[in-house]
Amino acid sequence: MAAIGDMFYTWAADADVLKKGECGGAITALQQYALSSGMVDAVLAVRKGADIYDAVPTFITNPAEVAETAGSLHCGTLLLSKLVKDYLDSNKTARLGVTVKGCDTMGLIELAKRDAVDLDRLILLGVNCGGSVSPVLARKMIREKFGVDPDDVVKEEIDKGQFIIVTKDGQHKGISMDELEEEGFGRRGNCRRCKMKVPRQADLACGNWGVIGDKAGKATFVEVCSEKGANLLDAAVKAGSLKTDAANPKGIEIRGKVENAMLKLGDKWRKRYFEGLGEGKDRLKKIMNDTSRCIKCYACIENCPICYCVECSTKKSYLVEPGQVPPPFMFHLIRYAHISDSCINCGQCEEHCAMEIPNSLFMHALQVDLQEMFGHTPGVDMELPVLALVEEKTERKRLADTGSDQIFNIFE
Ligand code: FAD
Ligand code: SF4
Ligand code: SF4
Ligand code: SF4
Ligand code: SF4
């Protein structure tokens, strides 16, 4: 019987899933089993769309279709947290199995602590995550740095510090991520600063780090993070869907070292990005200058996992004067005030910004300052954010009674 903290090498029993999977297809086999056994009513995973730059989130209710989502897409910059919330909201009793990166998990935790998502209805299959690359930048990088037509690439991977591509005619080419990132390519800025490498808030944390010997590349390293995860793993093995072996102790040590090295790299990038913003008034000036390009498209709000309010304050005419583009700075100040203690650095507000404003960098810098001041780390556990200390229960009751989520009515 598996228990929390146990570590295994795992792979799919089914030959097709084993072949299609990124590292032995364990996640796909677990999702398939969870669905066919009735542990969940649907699965949310990511499949390749038109090409490798097109990651498509997909809800699946037919176990036979789960194999279509096998494989890792590093040029997919999705965040699944809000999709999960929408699914649970519109399927009132349904349970969902989801493959989640660190940022997806953190977004779900932030939603759960606001009673917006019920974690009991979810099985979270976490993937370790070294980072993802914006699709547009990936195409440019492959053309300019690899000298390859991006449409000729059939597979990409990030392995041992390299971004590796495989072309239609079977050629492999790899360039060091450090070199790519020094030249402005490589992982997204938020991914470089990310320190959620092994998502232990999920039920299982899965990845290729630490798989050595003859299983390297053919199995996934699974760390059991919850009883729910242990139960799923045991049941899938018992049903013959999944094979496991004890994790190699040397592999466990290597995985720990890689994780630590990635955390140090995250610190290095944080320092570099945050220092680049300057301090105090200089930082404010930079933020005001960059946000003056804003066209008030609301994409930053719509895609932020923590911005889920029924009535957004930025749409109140007494707070943000309507009809102005760019909007008054108050538009951005409202978001900084509401989100900065809980920002999970998922990058969505930057990724989706039509004016390429580094919103995520601004918010993450504020969040890290607040974390240092108040000791609250968002996305890791159910501890309430700093601002929730405003009569949370009363506010929830008022929200339930009135349907209004305005904490203060300044005109009363
Ligand atoms: P499979 O059975 O092939 O299943 C893969 C699952 O991942 C599927 O459910 C698929 O839908 C989902 N998926 C694919 N792309 C995405 C995406 N962009 N966002 C969310 N879900 C997705 N492991 C490490 O140890 N170190 C790393 O640095 C690392 N970086 C990763 C970066 C990304 C962006 C991703 C998606 C995964 C990363 N992994 C990393 C995990 C690793 O690549 C494998 O996913 C893991 O070992 C499981 O392998 P598998 O064969 O069991 O998965
Ligand atoms: Fe992965 Fe972190 Fe980037 Fe999310 S923010 S894609 S978890 S590196
Ligand atoms: Fe993600 Fe931006 Fe929201 Fe932070 S503010 S959680 S980076 S979308
Ligand atoms: Fe986001 Fe604040 Fe708007 Fe709510 S009111 S959606 S937290 S900006
Ligand atoms: Fe402004 Fe960018 Fe947000 Fe759109 S996404 S409202 S342009 S900051």
Side-chain angles (χ1 to χ4, degrees):
M1 295 289 277
I4 296 173
D6 284 355
M7 298 180 189
F8 299 97
Y9 286 171
T10 59
W11 61 98
D14 179 90
D16 180 47
V17 176
L18 183 71
K19 191 164 160 241
K20 285 184 178 151
E22 184 73 14
C23 310
I27 291 190
T28 304
L30 285 160
Q31 293 279 40
Q32 257 179 351
Y33 174 76
L35 190 56
S36 56
S37 66
M39 281 174 103
V40 295
D41 300 291
V43 155
L44 172 59
V46 176
R47 68 174 170 78
K48 191 171 86 173
D51 52 37
I52 58 148
Y53 313 98
D54 184 24
V56 184
T58 313
F59 286 97
I60 298 169
T61 50
N62 176 359
E65 289 171 17
V66 177
E68 288 166 24
T69 62
S72 299
L73 293 165
H74 299 91
C75 304
T77 52
L78 305 162
L79 189 80
L80 304 177
S81 327
K82 263 186 166 171
L83 275 179
V84 172
K85 172 176 159 40
D86 289 348
Y87 176 87
L88 296 183
D89 285 350
S90 47
N91 297 276
K92 293 291 178 207
T93 55
R95 292 146 310 149
L96 188 66
V98 198
T99 311
V100 282
K101 306 176 299 303
C103 48
D104 300 312
T105 326
M106 292 173 90
L108 286 168
I109 299 269
E110 285 305 306
L111 286 168
K113 68 174 74 159
R114 289 162 172 80
D115 285 345
V117 153
D118 179 0
L119 293 176
D120 289 343
R121 290 167 63 198
L122 299 174
I123 298 185
L124 301 179
L125 299 176
V127 284
N128 298 351
C129 188
S132 55
V133 184
S134 270
V136 174
L137 197 66
R139 283 182 161 274
K140 190 169 183 306
M141 172 175 86
I142 287 167
R143 192 181 297 284
E144 291 179 13
K145 286 290 297 176
F146 289 76
V148 169
D149 180 345
D151 290 324
D152 285 344
V153 177
V154 290
K155 171 86 188 135
E156 48 67 36
E157 57 184 330
I158 300 176
D159 192 27
K160 298 191 182 71
Q162 285 205 322
F163 187 86
I164 300 164
I165 56 167
V166 183
T167 57
K168 273 179 195 163
D169 52 10
Q171 276 187 59
H172 283 62
K173 271 192 175 183
I175 300 182
S176 120
M177 214 44 148
D178 287 347
E179 180 187 332
L180 292 169
E181 289 180 357
E182 283 306 326
E183 293 181 29
F185 294 113
R187 298 167 303 157
R188 296 181 292 163
N190 65 301
C191 292
R192 296 178 195 184
R193 298 189 303 272
C194 174
K195 289 175 68 179
M196 187 47 69
K197 300 289 116 188
V198 178
R200 296 187 176 87
Q201 317 91 313
D203 296 302
L204 297 171
C206 313
N208 50 29
W209 290 336
V211 183
I212 56 170
D214 58 356
K215 285 280 180 292
K218 296 181 197 135
T220 277
F221 190 117
V222 174
E223 178 175 342
V224 180
C225 303
S226 74
E227 251 177 58
K228 220 194 287 178
N231 291 342
L232 171 62
L233 195 79
D234 283 340
V237 171
K238 199 167 167 215
S241 304
L242 190 74
K243 302 213 170 174
T244 63
D245 208 346
N248 182 320
K250 186 80 195 151
I252 297 177
E253 195 188 320
I254 291 172
R255 176 176 177 262
K257 282 190 180 156
V258 180
E259 185 184 1
N260 277 333
M262 290 302 289
L263 295 180
K264 282 200 186 123
L265 190 62
D267 280 330
K268 188 195 95 177
W269 279 113
R270 284 181 184 204
K271 190 165 182 287
R272 199 157 148 183
Y273 272 102
F274 297 161
E275 279 180 2
L277 281 179
E279 300 265 352
K281 278 191 185 158
D282 288 339
R283 182 177 288 193
L284 180 64
K285 243 172 140 178
K286 171 152 182 54
I287 294 178
M288 289 182 81
N289 187 40
D290 279 8
T291 53
S292 70
R293 297 201 298 275
C294 175
I295 55 167
K296 209 183 176 191
C297 67
Y298 295 105
C300 47
I301 294 172
E302 277 157 22
N303 291 286
C304 175
I306 297 145
C307 278
Y308 67 95
C309 302
V310 187
E311 295 173 30
C312 178
S313 301
T314 64
K315 292 184 179 166
K316 306 283 177 199
S317 57
Y318 51 82
L319 292 175
V320 179
E321 199 177 327
Q324 286 187 30
V325 170
F329 190 52
M330 180 57 95
F331 176 85
H332 303 282
L333 280 178
I334 289 173
R335 244 172 70 75
Y336 299 144
H338 292 185
I339 305 295
S340 52
D341 63 355
S342 300
C343 170
I344 55 154
N345 181 39
C346 66
Q348 297 300 307
C349 54
E350 192 165 321
E351 190 72 23
H352 289 271
C353 179
M355 300 310 290
E356 299 191 351
I357 299 167
N359 290 307
S360 161
L361 170 59
F362 299 154
M363 194 71 87
H364 189 209
L366 281 170
Q367 183 274 316
V368 171
D369 279 351
L370 286 174
Q371 186 174 323
E372 275 166 21
M373 277 187 243
F374 297 103
H376 172 71
T377 313
V380 294
D381 56 29
M382 293 298 277
E383 186 186 277
L384 290 174
V386 185
L387 295 175
L389 299 175
V390 183
E391 293 292 332
E392 181 83 355
K393 278 198 181 131
T394 319
E395 288 314 319
R396 286 201 194 292
K397 182 167 179 335
R398 188 194 40 69
L399 172 63
D401 292 347
T402 65
S404 163
D405 56 9
Q406 290 296 294
I407 291 182
F408 305 108
N409 185 344
I410 55 170
F411 295 115
E412 249 176 18

